[in-house]
Amino acid sequence: MLNDWLEGGTAVAISVGVAVLAALAVETVMRLVARRQTWARQLMGYARRPFWALALVLGFWLGLRAALMGSDWLTVFSRLFTIAAIAAFAWLLVAFVQFVTDLALGRHRIDVPDNRLARRLRTQTLILRRVAIALIVVIGIGAALFTFDAVRAVGASLLASAGIASIVAGLAAQSVLGNMFAGIQLVFSDALRVDDVIVADGEWGRVGEITLSYVVLDLWDDRRLVLPCTYFTTTPYQNWTRHGSELLGSVEFDLDWRVSPQRMREHLEAVLADTPLYDGRTSVLQVTEATAGFVRVRILVTAKDAPTLYDLRCFVREAMVLWIQSVMPEAAPAQRVLVSDHAAASAPERGGVARPSEQAGEGGLFSGSAEAEERASQFAHGESREARDARAEDEGDDAPAAR
């Protein structure tokens, strides 16, 4: 019995030693490559632990198979180490996926100007990484479960009834699947990207994260707005960085009629020349309306992105207000009230109130003349003036008889 244990321990030690030596050889080669290649250092950082775990599990497993050959414990240990090897191999695959995706993301930075292509690749890469990791985990769990004979029998019965099961699962997970397909559609149709500036649900913010089920918006006031992916496939939203980040904004003033647009235009040029917020593309000052006692002046300016444009609009608005207050105060908006004594002096003496003319020659369409009253009677009573006079004469003849 003691000899059997010694032989088994020796077999396990030899197998583990060979596995350790092989792992050390691979790591030594990778360290030599990492001295000249950055990607090798990154790969070691991701895959070193799962690689050593897989090597040790395989070493123990091979040693125990040699030591327990013909023993009743072989089946139990073989199943345990098979599950451990599957878990270690899945861990190694996940680390490799993370290494590849991070390597791709590092080559396409989004913190630089003109990053539309980089943002699209980043969004698609992150979604693919999540999908790949989810598939690896699901397949690993399934492979571990299929090492049991009972689970294999259940799997065969599930495959036999896959049609009914798929229908039931589709109906039960309709919203989940809808969000998942909407997320894939958003990413691969290039309709929405990470770091896009959008207006959704009445909120302005930047896309911080896109998953297969929801989208996270980083709002301008440090809040986070989480929306389902189906929102962006069924509801209109504004994308301010669809093809570029440059934007045009307006600043409007309601001013007095004594304002000088030409002088305002000259001052606007001086204001824009003194600020780095303006990108130099468009600068327009126009009078868009002149009604209701005011003159509406609209200024159009451009900036490289939405935050810069907001600051530029505030800067221009403040500069023009200060200029109007100091240089042209008469252009400030004002309400006028006209007080005059001519209306009261020209009123007729008949009660002090002017009345409409009652002469026949100055009649209106339905009053003031015989023809006008005839037209009015047709609309008001549905009978002509002659008919009313005849009816009045008949009533006058009947009145003495009644008395």
Side-chain angles (χ1 to χ4, degrees):
M1 185 67 178
L2 181 61
N3 292 331
D4 295 338
W5 281 101
L6 290 176
E7 292 178 358
T10 303
V12 171
I14 293 174
S15 179
V16 172
V18 171
V20 170
L21 290 176
L24 286 175
V26 173
E27 185 172 347
T28 302
V29 172
M30 290 300 299
R31 288 184 181 277
L32 292 176
V33 177
R35 293 179 180 179
R36 297 183 178 181
Q37 302 293 333
T38 305
W39 64 266
R41 291 195 297 269
Q42 295 177 352
L43 179 59
M44 288 184 61
Y46 283 102
R48 186 172 183 273
R49 292 183 178 179
F51 174 72
W52 274 98
L54 180 62
L56 292 176
V57 168
L58 292 177
F60 272 108
W61 187 16
L62 295 176
L64 285 175
R65 284 180 65 88
L68 298 177
M69 187 65 65
S71 174
D72 296 336
W73 291 96
L74 179 61
T75 304
V76 177
F77 282 104
S78 178
R79 180 171 296 168
L80 290 176
F81 278 98
T82 300
I83 295 174
I86 291 173
F89 185 68
W91 185 12
L92 182 62
L93 287 179
V94 169
F96 185 74
V97 169
Q98 291 177 338
F99 160 71
V100 172
T101 54
D102 285 347
L103 189 64
L105 294 176
R107 293 181 177 179
H108 299 87
R109 298 173 55 188
I110 63 174
D111 56 346
V112 295
D114 300 327
N115 58 359
R116 185 173 66 89
L117 180 61
R119 289 188 286 111
R120 183 183 67 182
L121 293 176
R122 180 181 180 84
T123 303
Q124 295 176 353
T125 302
L126 291 176
I127 290 296
L128 288 176
R129 179 165 75 176
R130 291 189 179 96
V131 172
I133 291 176
L135 288 176
I136 292 172
V137 171
V138 170
I139 293 174
I141 294 175
L145 292 177
F146 266 78
T147 58
F148 299 93
D149 297 333
V151 176
R152 291 180 183 176
V154 173
S157 62
L158 288 176
L159 289 176
S161 59
I164 299 175
S166 61
I167 294 174
V168 173
L171 293 176
Q174 184 176 3
S175 60
V176 177
L177 294 176
N179 271 322
M180 183 179 298
F181 287 120
I184 296 175
Q185 177 183 348
L186 285 177
V187 171
F188 290 98
S189 64
D190 200 23
L192 195 65
R193 299 176 294 260
V194 173
D195 211 39
D196 268 349
V197 177
I198 67 172
V199 178
D201 198 29
E203 298 285 354
W204 180 89
R206 192 181 301 271
V207 178
E209 184 180 3
I210 300 178
T211 68
L212 291 177
S213 57
Y214 59 87
V215 175
V216 179
L217 296 184
D218 300 334
L219 302 184
W220 64 275
D221 54 357
D222 292 337
R223 290 180 296 148
R224 300 294 183 269
L225 179 63
V226 181
L227 295 172
C229 291
T230 52
Y231 174 87
F232 296 94
T233 57
T234 58
T235 307
Y237 63 94
Q238 300 180 31
N239 191 335
W240 291 9
T241 55
R242 181 68 176 86
H243 295 291
S245 60
E246 299 84 0
L247 291 173
L248 182 145
S250 63
V251 180
E252 293 187 338
F253 300 92
D254 285 335
L255 302 174
D256 193 81
W257 280 69
R258 290 174 292 180
V259 66
S260 174
Q262 182 60 33
R263 295 182 61 184
M264 287 189 67
R265 193 172 292 112
E266 295 172 357
H267 182 66
L268 175 64
E269 294 177 359
V271 170
L272 296 178
D274 293 337
T275 175
L277 302 175
Y278 176 57
D279 62 0
R281 290 188 299 121
T282 302
S283 171
V284 178
L285 188 147
Q286 295 175 318
V287 178
T288 58
E289 289 187 20
T291 58
F294 295 102
V295 173
R296 176 160 296 179
V297 177
R298 184 179 67 180
I299 298 174
L300 298 179
V301 289
T302 55
K304 63 180 181 179
D305 52 31
T308 307
L309 178 63
Y310 181 82
D311 292 338
L312 177 61
R313 291 170 61 195
C314 295
F315 177 78
V316 171
R317 186 180 294 110
E318 181 178 353
M320 298 306 291
V321 168
L322 293 176
W323 180 80
I324 291 173
Q325 291 176 347
S326 59
V327 178
M328 192 177 290
E330 67 274 9
Q335 294 286 345
R336 292 183 176 84
V337 178
L338 180 62
V339 179
S340 176
D341 296 333
H342 296 289
S346 62
E349 297 180 358
R350 206 172 29 175
V353 179
R355 299 180 180 273
S357 176
E358 297 178 357
Q359 297 180 5
E362 299 179 1
L365 181 62
F366 296 108
S367 63
S369 65
E371 293 79 4
E373 293 180 1
E374 176 65 20
R375 286 191 293 269
S377 65
Q378 292 178 359
F379 283 95
H381 302 287
E383 58 180 358
S384 63
R385 183 176 181 182
E386 291 78 0
R388 286 204 314 274
D389 294 340
R391 182 165 53 82
E393 291 178 358
D394 294 339
E395 291 178 354
D397 296 337
D398 294 339
R403 287 192 297 268

